[in-house]
Amino acid sequence: MTATHVLYDAPGPRTRRRIRRGTAALLTALAAVLALVVARLSRQGQLDEAKWSPLVNPSDPQFGLVWDFLGGGLTATLQAAAVSIVLSLVLGSVLAVTRVTAAAWYRWAVVGFIELFRGVPVVLSVFFAARVLPEIGIDLPTMWFLVIGLTLYNSVVIAEVIRAGIQALPKGQAEAAYAIGLTRGATLRLILLPQAFRITLPVLIGQLVVVLKDTSLGFIISYEELLRRGQIAVQTLENPLQMFFVIGTIFILVNFSLSKLAEAVQRRLSRPGRRSDPPAVAATGTAT
């Protein structure tokens, strides 16, 4: 019996005919909607060569300038994402370990910090960092305000994911470590944390993709990442639909590449002899 048949009964001949008819009707409706959209875009001049040429035609005089400008924005996006990812993983790990090992008299402070920034929208964290920190004399490059906002939000989500991974491990793992003389800190560092990272890797991968996408919030503090530079280019080219279509495609390709890279790492870690078989852990944080 397959896993699919465990979840629901296999459809009979009549149900399969209904499914085929429903699928055909849905595809027909989608094709009609797509044709209508293309027709309206054509009437509005959105498919004219002049609007697409600076983005797709290498012989266009503006092609090189536009892509150099967008390339700078993509570099800024990747820089902010890379720094935010590293800091979020480090701070998230520290928060997870602190919450697991904290004594009762100060655990409330750790839990309060985590719950506070889990409840605050990430856009508010970025805006807070960019507006409040300069007011109290902390003046940094614009990228760091975006990084601080993203790190505050994503680190607490990652902390909860790692904590769930630690708690999902069998108690015998820690008991065996204590039995051979390891301290509590060594047990966490050598036994529990590596396994927690391994079993939560799919969730962590998803959160890292979220960090990359959230760098687009840099436009609210005038950080010239990819989306912000796209907005600036649109003021000259007057082709917002085409520009944001291209920017969206770039984000999809980058996130898809990051997901595939992470899946390759996960497969490598899952090879026989590289891991035990602890249970997988579901996400405990919320993505934006």
Side-chain angles (χ1 to χ4, degrees), residues 22-226:
T23 302
L26 179 61
L27 291 177
T28 303
L30 290 176
V33 171
L34 180 61
L36 178 62
V37 170
V38 171
R40 294 195 63 175
L41 291 176
S42 179
R43 284 198 299 271
Q44 295 173 359
Q46 296 295 335
L47 302 182
D48 293 350
E49 181 183 358
K51 290 184 176 293
W52 289 94
S53 182
L55 293 167
V56 300
N57 185 7
S59 61
D60 189 294
Q62 296 178 309
F63 180 83
L65 296 175
V66 170
W67 279 104
D68 284 344
F69 191 65
L70 294 181
L74 179 59
T75 301
T77 291
L78 296 177
Q79 285 176 342
V83 177
S84 300
I85 287 172
V86 172
L87 293 181
S88 297
L89 284 173
V90 172
L91 182 58
S93 301
V94 172
L95 288 172
V97 172
T98 304
R99 183 167 183 178
V100 170
T101 60
W105 64 271
Y106 72 91
R107 184 179 296 121
W108 64 269
V110 181
V111 174
F113 180 86
I114 292 175
E115 294 302 324
L116 171 64
F117 285 101
R118 282 185 70 190
V120 174
V122 63
V123 63
L124 189 57
S125 297
V126 174
F127 192 78
F128 177 86
R131 292 293 179 267
V132 175
L133 293 182
E135 293 292 332
I136 60 176
I138 302 176
D139 198 8
L140 299 170
T142 308
M143 185 193 81
W144 284 100
F145 295 130
L146 175 62
V147 168
I148 290 172
L150 294 179
T151 300
L152 286 175
Y153 177 78
N154 290 283
S155 62
V156 298
V157 175
I158 290 174
E160 288 299 274
V161 171
I162 296 174
R163 184 178 68 90
I166 294 174
Q167 293 181 338
L169 295 173
K171 291 184 178 178
Q173 298 279 334
E175 293 171 351
Y178 295 144
I180 62 175
L182 292 181
T183 62
R184 191 179 185 185
T187 300
L188 267 173
R189 179 168 52 86
L190 301 176
I191 306 297
L192 301 183
L193 270 181
Q195 295 186 76
F197 272 110
R198 190 171 296 161
I199 65 176
T200 59
L201 190 57
V203 183
L204 292 175
I205 291 168
Q207 194 61 35
L208 299 185
V209 172
V210 169
V211 175
L212 179 61
K213 290 192 294 185
D214 283 349
T215 56
S216 61
L217 294 174
F219 82 94
I220 66 171
I221 57 174
S222 300
Y223 175 60
E224 290 194 9
E225 42 71 51
L226 182 58

Side-chain angles (χ1 to χ4, degrees), residues 222-277:
S222 300
Y223 175 60
E224 290 194 9
E225 42 71 51
L226 182 58
L227 181 59
R228 173 64 178 165
R229 289 212 168 186
Q231 288 179 316
I232 295 173
V234 164
Q235 295 174 5
T236 302
L237 301 175
E238 297 182 346
N239 59 348
L241 178 66
Q242 294 75 13
M243 181 63 70
F244 293 130
F245 177 82
V246 170
I247 290 175
T249 303
I250 293 173
F251 269 107
I252 291 172
L253 293 176
V254 173
N255 284 326
F256 181 77
S257 301
L258 179 60
S259 299
K260 288 302 177 184
L261 175 62
E263 288 175 8
V265 174
Q266 184 183 3
R267 283 196 300 271
R268 182 178 177 81
L269 293 175
S270 301
R271 288 177 183 170
R274 287 183 172 270
R275 57 166 294 182
S276 57
D277 296 321

